[in-house]
Amino acid sequence: MKTNTLLAVAIIVSFLIGCKKDAVEGPRGPQGNANVHSQTFTVNASDWYYFLGWSNVDIQVPFITDDIIATGAVLVYEKSGSLTFAMPYTANGVDHRYIYYSGTVSILHTGTSTPSTTFEVVAISSSGMIPTDLDVTNYDKVKAYFKLDDK
């Protein structure tokens, strides 16, 4: 029995020594941060629905997962022309808010007249990844820090 075990070990070792592996480095992946996702969404005026003085629209955002909800952060920005506003905010007496849950962001505005609007949704897998000196109300700074693409 001892001889069979030694023979088996010798055969395995000889295979391991005899195998030569030439490592080939794969192509370099795109720059960015695998723990941060962002996407631009355009909501048409006809997509909004109205209830009790609020305009509301649900945006399907598949990268908002239960894990991100539990330990991460979701940031939403509203774009208007060349300006970008971190939500929530109030302007001209209109409240702009959002809530999120797994796979969805709900955008809420007070009032019943809501034009076509573009939103940027950013999901960060761990809120600990956000440095304390990063101004998350400034989308351009968030975009630059996390190397985000507008897509």
Side-chain angles (χ1 to χ4, degrees):
M1 177 81 169
K2 188 175 182 181
T3 306
N4 288 343
T5 305
L6 288 174
L7 182 60
V9 170
I11 291 172
I12 291 172
V13 168
S14 66
F15 276 115
L16 293 175
I17 293 172
C19 293
K20 181 180 177 190
K21 294 183 180 181
D22 293 323
V24 177
E25 187 174 326
R28 189 175 232 5
Q31 290 294 325
N33 189 327
N35 298 314
V36 180
H37 302 280
S38 71
Q39 189 168 347
T40 302
F41 298 91
T42 299
V43 176
N44 297 313
S46 62
D47 294 333
W48 295 89
Y49 60 92
Y50 309 101
F51 184 73
L52 298 175
W54 286 87
S55 301
N56 187 341
V57 68
D58 291 334
I59 301 172
Q60 301 306 306
V61 187
F63 54 79
I64 297 178
T65 63
D66 291 336
D67 287 340
I68 287 175
I69 292 168
T71 62
V74 175
L75 308 173
V76 179
Y77 301 89
E78 186 171 341
K79 296 182 175 187
S80 178
S82 63
L83 301 175
T84 302
F85 302 94
M87 294 180 72
Y89 72 96
T90 301
N92 300 319
V94 176
D95 289 327
H96 301 252
R97 309 248 178 258
Y98 71 98
I99 57 174
Y100 58 91
Y101 41 97
S102 188
T104 304
V105 170
S106 291
I107 307 291
L108 304 125
H109 290 179
T110 52
T112 58
S113 176
T114 306
S116 294
T117 310
T118 301
F119 298 94
E120 187 73 31
V121 178
V122 179
I124 303 166
S125 66
S126 171
S127 58
M129 292 176 55
I130 303 172
T132 56
D133 61 343
L134 178 61
D135 180 6
V136 295
T137 66
N138 184 322
Y139 174 67
D140 290 329
K141 289 184 180 180
V142 170
K143 180 180 173 182
Y145 181 80
F146 289 113
K147 299 179 176 96
L148 303 176
D149 288 332
D150 285 332
K151 51 183 170 173

